[in-house]
Amino acid sequence: VRDALASAGLEPAALTLELTEDLQVVADETAVDDRLTALAALGVRLSIDDFGTGNASLSYLRRFAITELKIDRSYVLGLGAPGERPQLVRGLMDLGRAVGLHIVAEGIEDQRQLRSLLEMGCEFGQGFLLGRPRPARSTTDVLQRWVNVDAEVNARA
């Protein structure tokens, strides 16, 4: 990972590695903990993906060097719909926050879901409403435009 970051010219904090919640790490928790701790010490962010769908022990949240939880889209799907109860999503968010993690909601596809998540104070999100998957080249073009806009704003300031 260190070599890949250096070759790409990226700061470690620009990289988030996602671990699926159902990842079976219990076979050798010490080795996994050592590697995750080394990655965190390097500055790489670590995320548990699809949180709420797998078999991960809640103790993973405090034992491993996790920095964020990604709440599975299946929990986000009904948010904002009439009769939907957002307590479970709020509870997952509160759980992550209680142990100092950033929260990412996955699968945001409509304004109702986004509004509900914003009302709950969700920090980050991903989904088709916010941006569709795109080829790497067009993503690079979009990011370069943002860098150019940022440079112009800073030059004027």
Side-chain angles (χ1 to χ4, degrees), residues 9-61:
L10 285 176
E11 292 295 319
L15 177 64
T16 300
L17 298 177
E18 296 182 3
L19 310 166
T20 60
E21 185 187 357
D22 62 357
L23 181 68
Q24 297 299 316
V25 297
V26 293
D28 189 355
E29 286 184 18
T30 302
V32 170
D33 189 29
D34 290 346
R35 285 189 177 91
L36 294 180
T37 299
L39 287 167
L42 186 62
V44 172
R45 296 175 303 164
L46 301 170
S47 176
I48 294 184
D49 193 26
D50 301 329
F51 188 71
T53 62
N55 301 316
S57 165
L58 292 178
S59 67
Y60 288 1
L61 299 181

Side-chain angles (χ1 to χ4, degrees), residues 105-148:
E106 296 181 302
I108 303 171
E109 297 179 2
D110 63 45
Q111 289 292 335
R112 294 172 307 132
Q113 295 164 338
L114 180 60
R115 191 171 18 263
S116 184
L117 289 161
L118 288 171
E119 288 170 3
M120 287 187 256
C122 188
E123 299 173 274
F124 303 100
Q126 69 183 60
F128 289 154
L129 178 68
L130 305 173
R132 296 222 174 245
R134 54 175 72 220
R137 181 66 196 153
S138 69
T139 300
T140 302
D141 293 343
V142 168
L143 293 174
Q144 187 58 54
R145 282 195 299 272
W146 277 104
V147 167
N148 292 340

Side-chain angles (χ1 to χ4, degrees), residues 16 45-48 66-70 101-104:
T16 300
R45 296 175 303 164
L46 301 170
S47 176
I48 294 184
I66 303 299
T67 54
E68 76 181 24
L69 288 183
K70 295 180 78 175
L101 303 178
H102 294 284
I103 307 300
V104 179

